[in-house]
């Protein structure tokens, strides 16, 4: 435990130096002014915990998280679709959107259900009355009421394939734009042929098969991929772009050439993997942080032996009981209290509502500084999603 804390402290020191180097390495007047503004914001909010009034990181809109750029329709609570089979996605979305009030839907081609999500949205969601209207009444939903997120699969990170990959997702989701498009993993893979035009979904799971790292492609530059992502914004096909699973050093490298900074970095964050250094760096650079697996990936980890169970941690349980909330609500409120946005997944309507409620200011505000410190003391740097398990030694080129 002491060694883990020492490593975390070392990471914080290194992060501070990287931020300092970033601030002094730029020479243009525009960049110097931007640095000065960042410095002033950082000094005026040195606390790790940002302001969380209902107009900042509440579930109904606000900050991109951790000091990210504000987006008025970026809900803090997102509904995740990983591991929900196509034949069950309509029911899951109906309860999450129409009854619990979720507006941000997190998708990805490698979840192999985007075509079913698109069908469900058109056939079951749009035009139906949903909870969460400004006056408390149920309101008919339109596409513009939702914040749709998807991700670029690794086989299509070569700039020649980025737009076609997006258009495949748009066709499957039955929409003409995305609110946010992310690079899913910073590890390009060898090209996989696209299905024929008009084919809904994917014929197999080849786009997610790294062959233990043998299919990774070291010749594709993240800078080239990002430039192609920026062109998607210019074309109007996406409103915002971002990254996912980017470690600090690679994010810093991306920012050295980016014309459009990522709206956010979606990464695995929970009390067992606090990622304080990355969160602080993103805050300093104006990049939001979005936590996936914020509850510890129980469904995913349940398929593996020996994984810790975050929601059964006695420290979490005792504090949750003291606050009058569930363990899941405590952990989600902790994340939002840090200024993060979250992605949660459940097909159970009761848990969907519970998770959504956890992001509301009245629950988030129950946590004190002491509560935050108690939860963060559980950090052990544990990841449930480990690239080294899938890609072998090739993963260390990015995730060392």
């Amino acid at each position: 435990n002491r060694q883990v804390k020492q490593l975390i402290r070392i990471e914080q020191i290194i992060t501070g130096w990287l931020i300092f180097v970033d601030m002094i390495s730029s020479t243009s007047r525009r960049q110097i002014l931007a640095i000065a503004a960042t410095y002033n914001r950082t000094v005026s909010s040195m606390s790790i915990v940002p302001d969380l009034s209902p107009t900042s990181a509440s579930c109904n809109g606000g900050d991109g998280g951790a000091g990210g750029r504000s987006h008025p329709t970026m809900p803090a609570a997102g509904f995740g679709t990983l591991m929900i089979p196509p034949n069950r996605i309509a029911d899951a979305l109906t309860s999450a959107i129409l009854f619990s009030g979720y507006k941000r839907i997190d998708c990805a081609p490698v979840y192999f259900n985007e075509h079913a999500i698109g069908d469900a949205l058109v056939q079951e969601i749009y035009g139906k009355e949903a909870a969460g209207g400004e006056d408390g009444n149920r309101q008919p939903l339109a596409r513009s009421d939702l914040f749709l997120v998807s991700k670029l699969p690794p086989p299509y990170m070569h700039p020649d394939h980025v737009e076609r990959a997006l258009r495949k997702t748009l066709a499957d989701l039955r929409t003409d734009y995305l609110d946010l498009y992310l690079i899913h993993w910073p590890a390009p893979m060898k090209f996989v042929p696209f299905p024929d035009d008009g084919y809904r979904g994917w014929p197999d799971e080849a786009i997610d098969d790294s062959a233990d790292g043998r299919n990774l492609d070291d010749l594709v530059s993240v800078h080239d991929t990002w430039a192609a992502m920026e062109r998607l914004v210019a074309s109007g096909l996406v409103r915002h772009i971002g990254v996912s699973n980017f470690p600090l050093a690679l994010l810093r490298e991306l920012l050295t050439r980016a014309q459009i900074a990522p709206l956010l970095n979606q990464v695995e964050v929970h009390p067992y993997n606090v990622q304080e250094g990355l969160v602080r760096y993103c805050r300093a650079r104006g990049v939001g942080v979005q936590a996936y697996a914020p509850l510890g990936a129980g469904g995913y980890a349940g398929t593996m032996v020996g994984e810790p169970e975050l929601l059964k941690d006695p420290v979490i349980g005792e504090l949750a009981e003291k606050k009058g909330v569930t363990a899941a609500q405590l952990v989600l409120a902790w994340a939002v209290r840090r200024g993060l946005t979250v992605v949660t997944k459940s097909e159970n309507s009761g848990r969907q509502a519970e998770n959504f409620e956890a992001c509301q200011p009245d629950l988030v505000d129950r946590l004190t500084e002491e509560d935050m410190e108690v939860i963060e003391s559980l950090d052990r740097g544990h990841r449930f999603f480990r690239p080294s398990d899938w890609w072998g030694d090739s993963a260390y080129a990015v995730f060392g």
Side-chain angles (χ1 to χ4, degrees), residues 181 282 391:
Y181 196 43
C282 288
W391 304 332

Side-chain angles (χ1 to χ4, degrees), residues 273-288:
N273 191 41
V274 172
Q275 299 229 55
E276 181 61 22
L278 179 62
V279 170
R280 288 173 67 94
Y281 181 78
C282 288
R283 179 184 295 119
R285 297 305 304 269
V287 177

Side-chain angles (χ1 to χ4, degrees), residues 184-199:
H184 201 158
W185 286 94
M189 284 169 45
K190 295 176 182 176
F191 176 75
V192 174
F194 288 98
D196 293 338
D197 290 344
Y199 188 96

Side-chain angles (χ1 to χ4, degrees), residues 145-177:
D145 294 315
L146 298 184
F147 193 97
L148 293 186
V149 183
S150 190
K151 307 174 186 77
L152 175 67
Y156 306 124
M157 288 180 64
H158 190 285
D160 290 348
H161 308 311
V162 170
E163 182 174 334
R164 185 169 180 186
L166 170 65
R167 290 186 180 278
K168 169 60 176 164
T169 278
L170 294 177
D172 281 347
L173 292 177
R174 298 177 69 172
T175 184
D176 56 5
Y177 73 96

Side-chain angles (χ1 to χ4, degrees), residues 64-328:
R69 296 181 305 288
S70 178
H71 187 284
T73 57
M74 174 70 174
F79 183 73
T81 57
L82 172 66
M83 297 179 67
I84 301 181
N87 65 338
R88 300 208 303 260
I89 197 68
D91 288 343
L93 287 173
T94 298
S95 59
I97 297 173
L98 298 185
F99 297 101
S100 292
Y102 288 88
K103 296 296 187 292
R104 173 162 53 87
I105 310 301
D106 188 81
C107 314
V110 299
Y111 301 165
F112 301 105
N113 56 11
E114 284 193 327
H115 62 295
I117 292 171
D119 291 343
L121 291 175
V122 170
Q123 297 168 12
E124 308 292 340
I125 305 298
Y126 299 146
K128 303 294 175 64
E129 292 185 346
E134 291 184 3
D135 56 1
N137 296 325
R138 301 175 68 82
Q139 301 290 332
L141 273 178
R143 163 66 183 90
S144 59
D145 294 315
L146 298 184
F147 193 97
L148 293 186
V149 183
S150 190
K151 307 174 186 77
L152 175 67
Y156 306 124
M157 288 180 64
H158 190 285
D160 290 348
H161 308 311
V162 170
E163 182 174 334
R164 185 169 180 186
L166 170 65
R167 290 186 180 278
K168 169 60 176 164
T169 278
L170 294 177
D172 281 347
L173 292 177
R174 298 177 69 172
T175 184
D176 56 5
Y177 73 96
L178 287 180
D179 296 279
L180 176 60
Y181 196 43
L182 308 176
I183 295 177
H184 201 158
W185 286 94
M189 284 169 45
K190 295 176 182 176
F191 176 75
V192 174
F194 288 98
D196 293 338
D197 290 344
Y199 188 96
R200 296 191 56 70
W202 299 86
D204 52 42
E205 298 190 1
I207 61 170
D208 196 33
D209 182 12
S210 70
D212 295 324
R214 295 188 300 277
N215 284 342
L216 296 185
D217 187 351
D218 294 332
L219 300 180
V220 177
S221 164
V222 68
H223 293 296
D224 293 340
T225 303
W226 190 250
M229 297 279 285
E230 292 173 330
R231 290 192 288 273
L232 299 179
V233 177
S235 71
L237 294 174
V238 301
R239 301 286 175 83
H240 303 278
I241 52 177
V243 296
S244 182
N245 299 297
F246 269 54
L248 191 155
L250 187 60
L251 179 61
R252 178 180 180 275
E253 173 62 24
L254 178 68
L255 289 170
T256 62
R257 299 191 200 173
Q259 299 299 308
I260 301 174
L263 181 70
L264 57 82
N265 187 10
Q266 187 185 99
V267 292
E268 180 181 343
V269 178
H270 44 74
Y272 285 170
N273 191 41
V274 172
Q275 299 229 55
E276 181 61 22
L278 179 62
V279 170
R280 288 173 67 94
Y281 181 78
C282 288
R283 179 184 295 119
R285 297 305 304 269
V287 177
V289 177
Q290 189 165 96
Y292 72 77
L295 303 179
Y300 178 80
T303 64
M304 298 180 288
V305 178
E307 294 289 342
E309 297 184 73
L310 172 63
L311 298 185
K312 293 183 179 180
D313 190 294
V315 174
I316 296 293
E318 181 179 345
L319 186 55
E321 184 176 2
K322 175 183 174 183
K323 295 294 178 180
V325 299
T326 68

Side-chain angles (χ1 to χ4, degrees), residues 347-365:
E347 295 181 63
N348 180 286
S349 59
R351 285 195 290 272
Q352 290 173 355
E354 174 186 301
N355 293 341
F356 188 85
E357 181 186 357
C359 300
Q360 300 294 344
D362 59 344
L363 196 155
V364 171
D365 289 344

Side-chain angles (χ1 to χ4, degrees), residues 301-302 304-309 382-384 386 389:
M304 298 180 288
V305 178
E307 294 289 342
E309 297 184 73
H382 182 84
R383 297 176 186 269
F384 293 95
R386 298 182 291 270
D389 290 349

